[in-house]
Amino acid sequence: MTVRTLVIDGEPVGAREGETILAAARDHGIVIPTLCFLEGLSAVGACRLCLVEVTGAPRPLAACVTRVAEGMEVATDTPRLRAYRRMILELLFAEGNHVCAVCVANGHCDLQAPAAAQGMTHVRFPYRTPARGVDASHDRFVLDHNRCILCTRCVRVCDEVEGAHTWDVAGRGAGSRVIVDLDQPWGTSDTCTSCGKCVQVCPTGALFEKGRGAAEMTKRREFLAYITTARQAHRWVR
């Protein structure tokens, strides 16, 4: 195994060749905020919340998809990065209809938590207040497009872990949205196995279990590490 030495926030750290900046930072207790990233799923660099500054790079880079290199110098917490991250969070809030007080994920939300950590008390951008629907056609689960941030965690877990590929993304730009199969009601899907993995990895209240009230929807993501580790160890192969 080849080891690369780099500097993160002024501290020399070691990382495996091919490892990402995010993984190297986490191995050494350095916190980089993330939103679309989830251990056990492929990294897509969609939210850009994990932006870091790399000496010599013309622009900030997403730590979840940028590989380490020998001698690389990385800064994870600068005034510029804090400004970028706050702007990203504000834009996400302005783009959808996020009313935390009445959300099922209030207090258990991966969008709400970094906003609070950044000290975000208001949004400087005009709210789009889009007219988005709610799909409650499934027997057990609900899809609320108003709270979806297009992190694609549901798409990736359904494809990479469950193997059903029920979820996908349709549209472009501000008109993009997650869809079931060929854009049909969730309850009519022939591919959905009702496993609930998409619900558990969703960072917000966009996917939740029926019967949950405000602040009641906690997500149990420990299953993902268990499944991926078991597969790597061929635990279920005879």
Side-chain angles (χ1 to χ4, degrees):
M1 178 183 67
T2 304
V3 176
R4 302 298 182 189
T5 302
L6 62 154
V7 176
I8 302 180
D9 293 338
E11 297 293 329
V13 301
R16 297 181 295 275
E17 184 176 19
E19 196 171 34
T20 63
I21 294 174
L22 178 62
R26 288 185 169 182
D27 286 345
H28 292 82
I30 301 170
V31 178
I32 299 176
T34 60
L35 197 53
C36 68
F37 178 84
L38 189 62
E39 192 72 42
L41 299 179
S42 61
V44 294
C47 70
R48 318 307 283 181
L49 199 63
C50 67
L51 287 176
V52 295
E53 293 181 347
V54 177
T55 301
R59 61 185 180 280
L61 304 174
C64 67
V65 293
T66 303
R67 306 295 175 182
V68 299
E70 183 66 31
M72 177 183 279
E73 296 182 8
V74 181
T76 69
D77 187 22
T78 67
R80 181 189 185 191
L81 292 175
R82 289 193 291 271
Y84 277 147
R85 288 166 182 161
R86 174 158 180 163
M87 179 180 66
I88 290 167
L89 291 166
E90 289 183 17
L91 287 171
L92 287 172
F93 272 92
E95 184 181 46
N97 299 313
H98 301 280
V99 185
C100 296
V102 295
C103 180
V104 293
N106 184 21
H108 312 287
C109 176
D110 290 357
L111 175 62
Q112 184 186 50
Q118 290 291 325
M120 200 181 94
T121 57
H122 64 282
V123 173
R124 296 166 292 174
F125 306 102
Y127 285 89
R128 292 185 64 245
T129 57
R132 295 177 177 172
V134 177
D135 182 356
S137 61
H138 195 282
D139 291 339
R140 296 172 52 200
F141 310 121
V142 179
L143 164 61
D144 186 348
H145 288 283
N146 295 284
R147 297 186 172 100
C148 178
I149 58 173
L150 291 175
C151 67
T152 70
R153 284 188 186 180
C154 58
V155 177
R156 285 175 282 154
V157 76
C158 190
D159 181 31
E160 300 167 6
V161 180
E162 181 61 15
H165 199 84
T166 299
W167 294 98
D168 216 323
V169 178
R172 300 185 67 180
S176 299
R177 68 191 190 285
V178 292
I179 61 171
V180 172
D181 293 334
L182 296 177
D183 198 7
Q184 64 194 66
W186 194 357
T188 66
S189 172
D190 292 327
T191 62
C192 179
T193 63
S194 299
C195 68
K197 292 182 177 65
C198 55
V199 175
Q200 298 304 325
V201 301
C202 177
T204 66
L207 293 173
F208 62 94
E209 299 172 1
K210 285 186 174 181
R212 299 285 184 173
E216 290 184 345
M217 187 64 222
T218 58
K219 304 297 177 79
R220 302 180 299 276
R221 302 194 179 108
E222 60 274 8
F223 79 91
L224 192 56
Y226 170 74
I227 291 176
T228 53
T229 301
R231 285 182 175 175
Q232 290 170 359
H234 304 286
R235 191 172 299 167
W236 297 313
V237 177
R238 293 183 178 178

